[in-house]
Amino acid sequence: ATVIGLVGDDSISYKVSRKSGDDAGEYTITPKGEKTQGNYTVTYETGTFTINKKEINATVSFENDGESYIYTGKEIKPEIVVKDSEDNSISKDLYKVIYSDNVNSGTATITVESKNNNYIITGTKQFEIENADIITLTFEDKTKLYDGKNDSITLNGELEGATIKFGTVEGTYDLEEAPSYKDVGEYTVYYKVTKENYNELIGSNKVTITAKPVTVKVDDFSKTYGENDPELTATVIGLV
C-alpha cells in the first residue's frame, strides 16, 4: 500500500488483506490499522485486486480434416479436438462448440467459445459440404409395339422439390413434361433434374415404337358353275 501525507521519515502501522478467491474477477483489498497513530489521523481506502481471464487461442481439428462432407439434409457435426498453442488438449469442460451453416452445401463453420469464467478461449474451423448426387430418381427406356397411343420414357422414384425439365435436343431443356410419341420410330428424350444441394442429373433415354404385326385374311367364297365370280374381300386382323 502507499501511505500519503507522512512527514519526513515518519511511519504508521497497518495490514493489508484481500477478499479470498482464485477465480477470474475483482476482489476488494482492505487496509486495516489504528485510526490514530501518533501525530496522524489515518484514513484507510480500499483497493481492487484483479485476476484476469487466461486467454487461449485454440486450434480446432477433426478426423477428416481437409476433406469435405456430402449433403444429407441434416446437421453435420464433426467430432473435434481442441488444443492450445503448445499442442496440449483443452478439456471439454472449458469450452462449448457452436456449429453454423452446417446443413446446406457450402462452407460450414465450427466455433469454440469458453464456458468457464476463468478463460477466454477462441477458435474456429471451417469445412465444406458438397452437393449430393440424385439417386432416388431414375429414368427408363420405353419399348413397345405400335398401339396408337402416345407414350414416353418412364420415371421411377421421386425427389420432393426437384425440378425436372425435358427436351428433344441435347442441351435444351424447355419442356415441363416429357415429350410423348405415337408413331413407329426411335425417339430420344433428354432430361435435366435440379434441386438445391444436389448435383444436376442430366441424361437421356429412348422411346422405341416398332411396327405392329397385322394379318390380312381373305374371306372364303363359293359359286355355282356358270355364275360370275363374286366380289372378293378380305379381313385385316390386328389394326388399332
Side-chain angles (χ1 to χ4, degrees), residues 171-240:
T172 301
Y173 310 97
D174 53 359
L175 301 176
E176 299 292 335
E177 296 183 358
S180 58
Y181 302 93
K182 180 178 69 173
D183 296 328
V184 170
E186 184 177 84
Y187 310 91
T188 301
V189 178
Y190 299 92
Y191 58 82
K192 179 171 74 172
V193 183
T194 57
K195 184 177 178 1
E196 185 180 8
N197 297 309
Y198 288 86
N199 294 318
E200 289 184 346
L201 177 61
I202 296 175
S204 65
N205 285 83
K206 293 184 180 297
V207 177
T208 302
I209 302 173
T210 57
K212 184 179 187 301
V214 295
T215 300
V216 178
K217 185 179 183 305
V218 176
D219 299 326
D220 293 330
F221 290 92
S222 65
K223 73 172 185 175
T224 301
Y225 175 76
E227 293 179 349
N228 294 326
D229 285 353
E231 182 180 355
L232 301 178
T233 60
T235 302
V236 181
I237 302 172
L239 288 179
V240 175

Side-chain angles (χ1 to χ4, degrees), residues 33-95:
E34 298 295 331
K35 292 185 178 181
T36 301
Q37 297 189 36
N39 296 317
Y40 297 95
T41 299
V42 184
T43 301
Y44 296 94
E45 296 182 355
T46 60
T48 301
F49 185 89
T50 302
I51 300 178
N52 295 313
K53 295 181 179 182
K54 182 177 180 179
E55 293 191 24
I56 300 176
N57 292 320
T59 300
V60 182
S61 61
F62 48 90
E63 184 176 354
N64 295 324
D65 201 347
E67 297 183 11
S68 58
Y69 290 80
I70 302 299
Y71 170 79
T72 64
K74 300 179 181 179
E75 285 190 293
I76 296 176
K77 294 182 176 182
E79 287 291 331
I80 64 172
V81 175
V82 182
K83 294 185 177 182
D84 61 19
S85 58
E86 296 179 355
D87 204 35
N88 298 311
S89 294
I90 301 174
S91 171
K92 292 182 178 180
D93 295 335
L94 300 181
Y95 63 84

Side-chain angles (χ1 to χ4, degrees), residues 86-185:
E86 296 179 355
D87 204 35
N88 298 311
S89 294
I90 301 174
S91 171
K92 292 182 178 180
D93 295 335
L94 300 181
Y95 63 84
K96 59 183 177 181
V97 182
I98 302 170
Y99 295 88
S100 57
D101 301 321
N102 61 325
V103 176
N104 295 325
S105 58
T107 301
T109 302
I110 305 171
T111 303
V112 173
E113 295 181 355
S114 174
K115 66 177 182 180
N116 184 300
N117 191 54
N118 292 320
Y119 296 88
I120 299 175
I121 300 175
T122 57
T124 60
K125 184 71 175 180
Q126 293 184 322
F127 62 93
E128 297 299 318
I129 301 176
E130 294 185 351
N131 286 339
D133 290 330
I134 296 174
I135 59 175
T136 58
L137 287 179
T138 59
F139 295 83
E140 292 182 5
D141 294 337
K142 183 68 175 181
T143 300
K144 69 171 188 176
L145 294 175
Y146 171 77
D147 61 3
K149 298 178 181 179
N150 286 313
D151 223 327
S152 189
I153 60 175
T154 302
L155 168 61
N156 298 314
E158 61 180 0
L159 179 61
E160 185 177 357
T163 298
I164 307 176
K165 292 291 189 71
F166 299 91
T168 57
V169 177
E170 186 174 9
T172 301
Y173 310 97
D174 53 359
L175 301 176
E176 299 292 335
E177 296 183 358
S180 58
Y181 302 93
K182 180 178 69 173
D183 296 328
V184 170

